[in-house]
């Protein structure tokens, strides 16, 4: 009978960690996509607001309205910059999650290699044991034939 792989629990644990790491990648990717979408929305709104400013300015605008437009555009520019920083943070987090998954994958592969070697050794051991039993039976049968005179 084959011996159980002594690191089977660790292999299962490593597989679970790898699956958790894959889910973390998915969540980080989703956060990155959301950050990009928010930035695109802010940029689109900023462009629409600039167009409105241009249209309004072409018809004449009071100085306080001009200042309000400029202040609000500055706030939108700041919002875009902040969103770009958030995107960069999300990208860094995604990259870190990918590296964590790769480390988990290497660990799983290492345990799988150990398991494969264990199974190979057990197969060889069982084959030797089977051969030994076959040889013993052949020897017993040969002795019986020799003893019976045939």
């Amino acid at each position: 009978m084959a011996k159980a792989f002594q690191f089977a629990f660790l292999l299962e644990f490593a597989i679970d960690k790898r699956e958790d790491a894959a889910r973390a990648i998915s969540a980080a990717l989703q956060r990155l996509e959301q950050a990009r979408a928010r930035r695109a929305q802010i940029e689109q709104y900023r462009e629409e607001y600039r167009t409105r400013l241009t249209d309004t300015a072409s018809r004449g605008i009071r100085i306080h309205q001009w200042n309000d437009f400029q202040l609000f555009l500055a706030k939108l520019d700041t919002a875009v910059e902040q969103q770009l920083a958030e995107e960069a943070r999300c990208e860094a987090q995604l990259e870190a999650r990918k590296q964590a998954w790769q480390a988990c994958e290497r660990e799983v592969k290492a345990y799988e290699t150990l398991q494969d070697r264990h199974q190979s050794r057990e197969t060889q051991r069982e084959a030797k044991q089977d051969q030994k039993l076959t040889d013993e039976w052949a020897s017993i049968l040969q002795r019986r034939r020799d003893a019976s005179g045939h």
Side-chain angles (χ1 to χ4, degrees):
M1 184 172 161
K3 294 179 187 175
F5 177 54
Q6 69 185 35
F7 298 117
F9 171 76
L10 294 175
L11 173 58
E12 290 302 316
F13 183 69
I15 290 170
D16 289 345
K17 279 183 11 184
R18 181 183 62 187
E19 290 171 1
D20 289 344
R23 282 189 287 276
I25 287 173
S26 178
L29 185 58
Q30 186 176 16
R31 284 189 297 275
L32 175 59
E33 289 170 356
Q34 289 170 348
R36 286 177 176 162
R38 279 192 298 272
R39 179 183 45 83
Q41 286 175 330
I42 295 168
E43 287 176 337
Q44 179 183 355
Y45 184 69
R46 180 179 61 182
E47 290 309 310
E48 290 170 2
Y49 198 77
R50 278 192 178 139
T51 302
R52 203 170 359 155
L53 171 62
T54 304
D55 291 346
T56 303
S58 68
R59 288 176 282 163
I61 188 170
R62 292 193 170 114
I63 191 71
H64 78 280
Q65 288 177 314
W66 175 259
N67 287 337
D68 289 346
F69 270 114
Q70 291 300 324
L71 285 172
F72 192 67
L73 278 174
K75 287 180 182 180
L76 289 174
D77 289 340
T78 300
V80 168
E81 289 172 14
Q82 290 172 342
Q83 203 56 42
L84 283 169
E86 176 64 12
E87 276 184 58
R89 188 189 67 73
C90 289
E91 287 171 350
Q93 189 178 57
L94 176 60
E95 187 57 35
R97 299 293 186 261
K98 286 179 181 179
Q99 290 176 4
W101 181 87
Q102 289 171 342
C104 291
E105 178 68 6
R106 285 189 298 273
E107 185 179 4
V108 167
K109 293 296 182 194
Y111 283 122
E112 286 176 341
T113 298
L114 289 174
Q115 183 180 39
D116 291 346
R117 289 178 186 165
H118 168 79
Q119 288 173 341
S120 178
R121 282 192 308 271
E122 285 301 303
T123 300
Q124 289 175 354
R125 187 183 63 77
E126 287 177 353
K128 281 183 181 181
Q129 191 175 19
D130 288 347
Q131 185 62 47
K132 183 179 176 183
L133 286 173
T134 302
D135 291 348
E136 286 177 11
W137 276 105
S139 176
I140 290 170
L141 289 174
Q142 186 60 41
R143 281 184 289 202
R144 285 186 182 167
R145 279 192 216 122
D146 292 345
S148 67
H150 287 60

